[in-house]
Amino acid sequence: MSDQWVEASQLPEELVALIDTLRPGEEVTITRNGETIGTISGVSRQETSSSADEDITVVATAMKLSASARDALSERLGPGYLVLDLHSAPPTVDVLLVPPASPQLIGNFRALYPKARIVITEIEDAELGVKYEGPVRRLLDAGAEAYLPSSTIPRLAEQLDRTMTRLNQLTDGTSASLTIEAPRDDRVLE
């Protein structure tokens, strides 16, 4: 998968006019003999010019999200972020959001986007029609109280202490099952 940039003057005028009418998240599917050979995604003028701004963090989503879901994420992140679909993002993205996947796929993403921070995300938003469930969410939903991806015993000790302190503060010392994310709760588990 390689991104290619084409100057509008190299394209037929009718195609450029069609592309100009696309709104962010809208796509034109290109077919040959009934087979899809590509898509063109619309981005706003603000998005294309702001990606060159060093104060903007460009986030690409490697999972299929509707334009409204990307817009909602972008709105919640604020003006310092630009959220794009992977297929319309430049190869210089800052963050790549990826659903739980194989190590090989993550390695391929790393090779394609060497400067990006790759962030694995499990997300379920019924309101926006998004569901990318993975093993961690299933374990927490089954009754586990936390997930600690520790790289060393000292790091595990730090994470465990901080997590137990937070859990005890949230539950007054009683055992309670927590999920990764409760609706409208901005809590982050480490």
Side-chain angles (χ1 to χ4, degrees), residues 12 17 20 52-54 83 89 92 102 128 132 146 148 152 168 173 180 187:
D20 278 340
D53 186 343
E54 290 182 22
V83 179
T92 57
S102 70
L128 291 170
Y132 287 95
L148 305 174
T152 66
N168 286 334
I180 290 177
R187 179 178 63 229

Side-chain angles (χ1 to χ4, degrees), residues 1-183:
M1 175 192 329
S2 70
D3 291 330
Q4 295 186 15
W5 301 92
V6 177
E7 183 60 39
S9 62
Q10 296 175 308
L11 300 172
E13 286 182 35
E14 292 172 347
L15 180 58
V16 172
L18 177 62
I19 293 169
D20 278 340
T21 65
L22 291 176
R23 293 182 301 185
E26 290 182 334
E27 294 182 340
V28 172
T29 301
I30 302 169
T31 62
R32 181 185 304 141
N33 300 325
E35 299 276 329
T36 299
I37 61 170
T39 59
I40 298 173
S41 300
V43 295
S44 72
R45 302 290 178 250
Q46 177 185 3
E47 288 177 351
T48 56
S49 63
S50 65
S51 61
D53 186 343
E54 290 182 22
D55 293 338
I56 299 293
T57 299
V58 179
V59 178
T61 60
M63 69 276 289
K64 188 163 182 69
L65 295 179
S66 66
S68 59
R70 281 192 310 277
D71 290 345
L73 178 58
S74 186
E75 184 178 316
R76 290 288 289 183
L77 287 169
Y81 291 87
L82 172 63
V83 179
L84 301 172
D85 181 81
L86 180 66
H87 300 294
S88 63
T92 57
V93 298
D94 300 303
V95 178
L96 181 60
L97 293 179
V98 180
S102 70
Q104 294 82 5
L105 182 58
I106 301 303
N108 288 340
F109 281 137
R110 171 57 54 223
L112 291 170
Y113 303 96
K115 294 182 181 178
R117 293 185 182 267
I118 297 177
V119 178
I120 309 298
T121 181
E122 298 182 17
I123 181 171
E124 184 175 353
D125 189 324
E127 194 174 303
L128 291 170
V130 177
K131 185 172 184 174
Y132 287 95
E133 188 177 76
V136 175
R137 177 175 296 279
R138 288 191 299 269
L139 293 169
L140 291 170
D141 287 348
E145 294 188 33
Y147 178 78
L148 305 174
S150 308
S151 56
T152 66
I153 294 296
R155 179 74 177 131
L156 172 61
E158 290 173 23
Q159 290 176 311
L160 183 57
D161 180 56
R162 191 173 0 174
T163 301
M164 292 310 298
T165 300
R166 287 181 187 167
L167 290 174
N168 286 334
Q169 289 171 347
L170 290 171
T171 63
D172 292 328
T174 62
S175 179
S177 180
L178 299 177
T179 60
I180 290 177
E181 178 182 311

